[in-house]
Amino acid sequence: MFLEAWDALPLGTFHGEAAGRRYVVTRSDFAGGAAQKLVAEELGGTDYISANVYRLAAGARLKPCEMPEEKVVRFVLDLVPI
């Protein structure tokens, strides 16, 4: 479910809403899509989300940047581009 929500997000920079807050979000692909990055900054607030997904032969791996994995998963599942 998480990977489907991640993949459904647009590439590039866009605005979105999650948990009643608005964010500016950037999703980027690197190495032909084998590495993907998401960075989100809350507009008018202090929340920040940063994570990478690596598409390995053994399966996809989520690597949050200095935050709990659960925070990233909840954010991506709740995020609606606007």
Side-chain angles (χ1 to χ4, degrees):
M1 182 180 258
F2 167 78
L3 285 176
E4 290 85 3
W6 175 284
D7 290 340
L9 297 173
L11 287 173
T13 301
F14 61 94
H15 288 93
E17 187 171 298
R21 301 178 186 172
R22 294 194 59 191
Y23 293 83
V24 63
V25 183
T26 301
R27 188 169 83 90
S28 307
D29 280 358
F30 301 95
Q36 302 170 317
K37 182 167 189 68
L38 181 133
V39 175
E41 295 182 62
E42 183 183 7
L43 295 170
T46 60
D47 197 27
Y48 181 80
I49 307 289
S50 180
N52 296 293
V53 167
Y54 298 100
R55 308 287 180 148
L56 307 172
R61 299 284 189 261
L62 171 63
K63 296 293 183 179
C65 302
E66 300 182 16
M67 65 191 57
E69 184 174 301
E70 180 181 316
K71 179 178 180 175
V72 175
V73 170
R74 265 193 327 247
F75 176 80
V76 170
L77 291 176
D78 195 41
L79 182 61
V80 176
I82 52 175

